[in-house]
Amino acid sequence: MLEQLGSLADPPWIYVIVGLSVLLDVFLPVLPSGVLVITAATAAAGSTAADAVGGAAPVHPAHDVSTMFSLMLCAATASVLGDLVAYRLAWRGGARFDRAMARSRRLAAAQDKIGTALSRGGGPLVVLARFAPAGRSVVSIGAGVMHRDVAEFLPWSALAGVVWAAYSVSLGYFGGQWLGATWLGTAVSVFALFAAGAGAGFLMRRPREPRENPAP
């Protein structure tokens, strides 16, 4: 079935679907935006591999690069735009968002941790959170609620979007090249994405060990 999706990465509308999914999952983390990005990349890579095996006219490597770069750029751009929309909405309706986050002990703790990290220049946490379940939502909304300077938030949001998009597209591409446009190739790539998310979530939850005072 996935073999029939090989052309999905070419028509413009697949970029629209991917872009909307990535844009909106900051508000609805249940949207499978990462899975969709991987599936599109797997289908495109798998169809190229199938053509090569079947003796069809070879696809120029530049076409592969162009397709994957376009998919990555689409996902990364949508990620940053979604972060900014959530950030601005939370900035303007800070009290309401703050009350909503305070109702969850987990979100409140994450908000405090992220605020502390941003104030100390710990921007890499924003990149790490992009892989964690709902981490992107907590970071974007939390930064807006706390009225963090956009210059503190935006560069790390852009880096997080690029890293996440590159990782997701790479998983789909290499999965499709090695295993073909099959459910197995997609499943292996999605598992690797979820494994990265689980690892990021673990690192975010892990308390920071206090520094030992130097001996006098």
Side-chain angles (χ1 to χ4, degrees):
M1 182 177 179
L2 277 180
E3 288 84 348
Q4 300 172 356
L5 301 179
S7 61
L8 281 181
D10 291 331
W13 56 264
I14 188 59
Y15 299 116
V16 175
I17 294 174
V18 167
L20 286 176
S21 177
V22 176
L23 179 71
L24 295 176
D25 80 355
V26 68
F27 302 104
L28 299 170
V30 295
L31 287 177
S33 59
V35 176
L36 185 59
V37 172
I38 285 176
T39 302
T42 300
S47 65
T48 302
D51 288 344
V53 173
V59 178
H60 196 280
H63 179 271
D64 269 359
V65 174
S66 174
T67 299
M68 296 305 156
F69 179 78
S70 298
L71 188 58
M72 185 192 75
L73 182 62
C74 173
T77 302
S79 178
V80 177
L81 289 177
D83 288 354
L84 283 177
V85 170
Y87 169 82
R88 293 305 301 175
L89 289 176
W91 180 290
R92 294 180 179 180
R96 184 168 42 189
F97 278 95
D98 202 20
R99 286 194 297 270
M101 294 186 75
R103 283 195 284 269
S104 169
R105 232 188 304 180
R106 181 180 175 185
L107 290 179
Q111 181 183 0
D112 291 340
K113 185 173 183 179
I114 290 166
T116 302
L118 286 175
S119 65
R120 295 177 178 175
L125 181 62
V126 177
V127 180
L128 187 65
R130 185 62 184 83
F131 291 83
R136 175 190 178 200
S137 303
V138 172
V139 167
S140 302
I141 294 174
V145 166
M146 293 179 287
H147 287 192
R148 294 291 171 188
D149 191 336
V150 70
E152 271 187 333
F153 171 70
L154 182 57
W156 291 106
S157 170
L159 179 60
V162 169
V163 171
W164 173 82
Y167 180 73
S168 301
V169 170
S170 297
L171 287 179
Y173 176 76
F174 289 112
Q177 286 288 317
W178 295 336
L179 300 174
T182 64
W183 289 116
L184 176 61
T186 303
V188 170
S189 299
V190 169
F191 175 79
L193 181 67
F194 285 168
F202 171 77
L203 291 175
M204 288 183 66
R205 289 191 300 269
R206 189 176 63 179
R208 181 180 294 180
E209 296 180 2
R211 295 181 180 177
E212 296 181 2
N213 294 327

